[in-house]
Structure formats: C-alpha cells, structure tokens
Amino acid sequence: MRILILGAGVIGVTAAYQLLKDGHDVTVVDKADGPASFTSFGNAGLVAPGHAYAWSSPKAPGMMLRSLWRGDQAIRLKPRFSPRQWSWIGRFLAQCNATSAGVNTGHKSRLCVYSQTVLNQVVAETGIAYDGRDGGLVYFYRTPAAFDAAASRAQILRNEGIAIDVLDRDATVTQDPGLAPARDQIAGSLFAPGDASGDCNLFTIALAEKCQTMGGQFRFGETVLRLKTEGDLVASVQTDKDEISADAFVLCLGVYSPQLAEQIGLKLPIYPVKGYSATLPITDESRAPRLGGVDEENLLAYCPMGARLRLTATAEISGYSTAHRPSDYREMFARASGLFAGAVDFDAAVCWAGLRPMTPTGIPVIDRSPFANFWLNTGHGHMGWTMSNGSARILADLVGQRKPEIDTSGVRYDP
Ligand SMILES: Cc1cc2nc3c(=O)[nH]c(=O)nc-3n(C[C@H](O)[C@H](O)[C@H](O)COP(=O)(O)OP(=O)(O)OC[C@H]3O[C@@H](n4cnc5c(N)ncnc54)[C@H](O)[C@@H]3O)c2cc1C
C-alpha cells in the first residue's frame, strides 16, 4: 500500500519504520528541513513508564487557578481570547477527578510499558545510537509529606506491572551518586528501575536514515495545506509544492493535527502545552547525575545525554508560541545549580521551547478516522517519546488489519 505520513516528528518517523517493516511503500512529508525539528527536538529524553500519571488530576484545577497570580505552579494557565484554548480547558477540567485520572493513568501506563518494549526491539534491529541509558529513573521529593503521598500514589502504576521502589535519602544517593551534593535537599525518591532515557532527536534522525535505506522517502521543506476528499476517502494532500496522492494517509502533525483534521470535519482535542529546555555541556562527570530523573516539587526534569545534561521545566497552557527569553530559564538554572553545582557549564546552555500536543486525558489518538483511509496517530502530550514506538506498532497493526498486542480501548477516536 502507498502510505503518506504527515509529519516527521518522533511519532511520524516511528510510524514510517513500522509500516516499512510491514512492506508498505512509505513517504513522509514535513515542512521542516529535517526529522524531529519541532516538539521532538529538545524534550527531556525520559522514557518513563514510571511517571505515566495523568496530568488531569484532582489537583490540577487548583494549580491552574493559582498560576494566574503565582509563578511557581506545575501547570500554568495563560488565558487567551481563543475558543480553541477554552474548549480544551473545559475538557481537561472534566477529566480532573480521581476516577478519570485513574482510568487515564491506566491506559497511559499500558501504552508506555508496551512502547518501551518496542523501542528496545527497534534498537536491537537497527543498532541506532541515541545516547540511550538504561538503569532506571529517579523521581525525588524534597518534603516528607510529598514523598509519603507519592509513595502511596505509586500503587496505581504498580497495578499496571511497573516496578517502583521507595528509597530513602541515603538509598537515593546510593542509586545515583551524582545526587550526593544535593543529599540534604532530598527527603526520598521513587525509583523506577525499568525506566530509561535517550535523545529523542538523535533517535528520530537515525531512524529516518534507516527508513530511507528500507525504501522510505522523505519530503522535507514541504507544507501540507489541504486534504482533498472523495466520498469517504481522502484522495490526496495538497502541499505548497505539489499534490500527493496515496492509498492511505497518517496524521502525525503534533500540535497542528487538529487544524488539518478540522478541514474534513474531524475533531481532535489537542492543544499545545509549552515547556522549556536547556542543554548544557557536562564539565565534571563526577558531579553530574548518572541517571535521569525529576525534582518533583520543582518539576525540573534532568537527563544525562552523553557529554550533555538536558534540563526541562514548566507546563504552560499559553497557545502556539515557542518564543523564549533568558528570564524563562532563571528559575530552572537556579534549581539545577543547587543540585548539580560544578557539573555543567550554564554559560554554554542551548535553550529551546517546545509544545506538547496534549489531549485532555493525556492519551493519544491512534485509530482509523471516519475516512476509511485516513489514520490518526497524534496527541502524545508530555510522553510522546516514551509512547512513540508502541503507538507506531499499534498503528501498523491496525492498518494491516491485525489485532494490536495490547488493549487499545483508550486510544480510539471518539469525537
Ligand atoms: C519540554 C518538553 C519535555 C518533554 N519531555 C518528554 C520526556 O521526557 N519524555 C517523553 O516521552 N516525552 C517528552 N515530551 C513530549 C514529546 O516531546 C512529544 O510528545 C513528542 O515530541 C511529540 O511528537 P510528534 O511527532 O507528535 O510532534 P512533533 O515532533 O511536533 O512533529 C510534528 C511534525 O509535523 C510538522 N508539521 C506541522 N504542521 C505541518 C504542516 N502543515 N505541513 C508539514 N509538516 C507539518 C512539524 O514540522 C513537525 O516536524 C516533552 C515535550 C516537551 C515540550
């Protein structure tokens, strides 16, 4: 089958790989100059089934409200005169109850665990190097109260088969000696020994190269403008350069998926949630973390990637701008220098901001649309790197009319 994938982020490229493996004739189109140039460019790199909690939790509405006058909230709301934003917020708030959060976390964690298995298969098959690191991730807490609450909440992930160890302060530092200078700031941690990390950008670029050797074609620098339909099929895609026809199409445009889908009457509740990242050269390995992790109360994620340390922070519901200023990193750098003093060169930081394609549930949509040859694989939110390879395998199985290997009831298209 001739398949056109719209979008060459990690979601589009992993889908291309799985569809090529199944023997399809695959082309990927993207407006950027290369793979993983937008949200998949500078994420935290955490492959984190042990952190698969739904963001739409009972605590989220309070954080969003307080964020209107306080800058220290994990989820920040910057209201816009935008019906798209308000409609998404309404749907997000409707998910902020314990029952929905439990159900959504269950669906997410199942997909995350499966996806990590598929990631490992892909790495074994391709030999891709992406500054990957196994050995677990450390989610640490600064106050005993937050640590105790997190330890009881972890049961929901254990129920999905994810190993979570509860470590006190000393055990945390034994697990990652790079946290030794920060020992006194840590009350304890949840350690997910099965979690891992790696550079999503390097992985996606290398996988796109592999796809080319398998016969996949990439059309970069080409913007998708319109979908042309015939009856209940999509016949072609109009770009700024060409009209491309195919037997089937896969929508992987991240935060821009809803706008294209709307042209043919599809409703995708995806809205950008902005985050900031900085990549710093490691100058003293003995002081740097050995494993990735999250400073939970500050929602600061850190991840060693080869000779670099990636830091990310903030979840801002503020629209489509990826602009960033030095002041956006002040707090991040202050926190990080308190943890990893002398480990990195802050003056050489490469700063970036990206837009997580969030659904209100945090669960992506991986399904056939009402147009029989138009497939959806989008809305992977804050865990798209973790969920990418499994989502791709599910998509390829659905396209090939095979039963996916896990229960996919949570990822169905439900307008
Ligand atoms: C700060 C931050 C930290 C994160 N940390 C993690 C993490 O630790 N672990 C994790 O699992 N996930 C993480 N994520 C989430 C993850 O990065 C995303 O879920 C993932 O990158 C989404 O991939 P995507 O392919 O759907 O979107 P994108 O990477 O945005 O790809 C969409 C592509 O579509 C293209 N495009 C858009 N419109 C058009 C058009 N009209 N025509 C042609 N091309 C178009 C874009 O150029 C882009 O290449 C993080 C995200 C952020 C922002």
Side-chain angles (χ1 to χ4, degrees):
M1 206 190 308
R2 281 179 314 139
I3 301 181
L4 181 69
I5 297 178
L6 314 181
V10 68
I11 300 302
V13 172
T14 49
Y17 176 74
Q18 296 294 340
L19 289 164
L20 283 161
K21 259 180 68 172
D22 285 2
H24 297 291
D25 175 356
V26 177
T27 301
V28 185
V29 60
D30 198 295
K31 64 183 177 184
D33 293 337
S37 299
F38 199 59
T39 303
S40 306
F41 180 77
N43 65 32
L46 306 180
V47 177
H51 213 235
Y53 302 106
W55 279 7
S56 41
S57 72
K59 285 188 173 169
M63 288 184 217
M64 287 161 71
L65 185 65
R66 284 190 297 276
S67 76
L68 297 174
W69 64 88
R70 277 170 55 173
D72 61 348
Q73 298 298 296
I75 303 179
R76 296 184 199 165
L77 174 59
K78 292 201 172 166
R80 304 264 170 244
F81 290 109
S82 156
R84 193 181 291 282
Q85 189 194 49
W86 283 99
S87 148
W88 186 89
I89 290 170
R91 284 161 173 257
F92 181 84
L93 292 176
Q95 297 293 323
C96 291
N97 58 78
T99 308
S100 301
V103 171
N104 295 337
T105 299
H107 287 307
K108 279 177 72 188
S109 53
R110 191 177 320 119
L111 178 55
C112 287
V113 170
Y114 174 61
S115 196
Q116 193 178 6
T117 308
V118 183
L119 165 68
N120 292 339
Q121 280 166 8
V122 173
V123 173
E125 286 160 9
T126 59
I128 279 177
Y130 61 107
D131 284 338
R133 202 174 283 214
D134 291 328
L137 296 175
V138 178
Y139 306 105
F140 74 79
Y141 294 82
R142 289 167 178 267
T143 61
F147 177 40
D148 291 346
S152 17
R153 190 171 67 138
Q155 194 52 43
I156 190 169
L157 296 180
R158 291 200 190 96
N159 293 345
E160 294 296 329
I162 298 170
I164 307 276
D165 300 337
V166 178
L167 306 184
D168 65 15
R169 171 183 290 161
D170 288 328
T172 301
V173 171
T174 305
Q175 196 64 59
D176 187 345
L179 291 171
R183 183 188 173 281
D184 294 342
Q185 301 173 51
I186 296 172
S189 69
L190 300 187
F191 176 61
D195 284 8
S197 65
D199 188 331
C200 174
N201 175 258
L202 286 184
F203 176 89
T204 309
I205 292 171
L207 192 64
E209 281 167 12
K210 176 72 188 166
C211 287
Q212 281 168 310
T213 68
M214 296 163 76
Q217 298 199 23
F218 286 81
R219 300 172 64 133
F220 289 115
E222 191 165 350
T223 303
V224 175
L225 301 176
R226 271 182 300 284
L227 300 171
K228 294 193 176 173
T229 57
E230 280 172 16
D232 72 343
L233 294 177
V234 171
S236 64
V237 158
Q238 180 67 55
T239 73
D240 57 348
K241 295 193 174 144
D242 205 355
E243 182 171 343
I244 315 173
S245 55
D247 303 314
F249 301 83
V250 188
L251 182 68
C252 307
L253 293 182
V255 291
Y256 291 102
S257 292
Q259 287 85 344
L260 196 74
E262 274 163 19
Q263 291 181 6
I264 56 172
L266 306 179
K267 288 190 174 19
L268 289 172
I270 296 169
Y271 194 75
V273 177
K274 185 174 185 179
Y276 298 85
S277 100
T279 310
L280 311 115
I282 294 176
T283 46
D284 183 349
E285 258 186 50
S286 68
R287 290 165 177 261
R290 317 292 196 267
L291 300 170
V294 180
D295 171 355
E296 292 279 0
E297 278 107 315
N298 291 317
L299 274 182
L300 172 72
Y302 58 89
C303 182
M305 295 179 176
R308 303 161 296 151
L309 183 70
R310 172 79 42 86
L311 302 171
T312 74
T314 315
E316 206 175 82
I317 306 165
S318 58
Y320 276 80
S321 166
T322 54
H324 52 91
R325 296 163 301 176
S327 58
D328 294 321
Y329 297 87
R330 211 167 285 143
E331 183 143 338
M332 180 197 280
F333 289 174
R335 300 287 182 197
S337 60
L339 292 169
F340 310 121
V344 290
D345 180 359
F346 285 96
D347 293 334
V350 177
C351 295
W352 172 87
L355 304 177
R356 304 171 180 93
M358 284 294 290
T359 61
T361 58
I363 306 168
V365 182
I366 314 166
D367 203 358
R368 189 200 291 269
S369 80
F371 290 83
N373 66 342
F374 192 73
W375 296 86
L376 310 167
N377 184 18
T378 190
H380 291 73
H382 67 113
M383 300 205 74
W385 165 221
T386 307
M387 298 197 277
S388 56
N389 287 279
S391 301
R393 192 58 245 160
I394 290 169
L395 174 89
D397 284 338
L398 293 173
V399 169
Q401 300 190 356
R402 279 181 306 270
K403 192 172 178 303
E405 292 170 303
I406 58 164
D407 170 16
T408 55
S409 48
V411 299
R412 296 276 178 224
Y413 174 63
D414 175 12

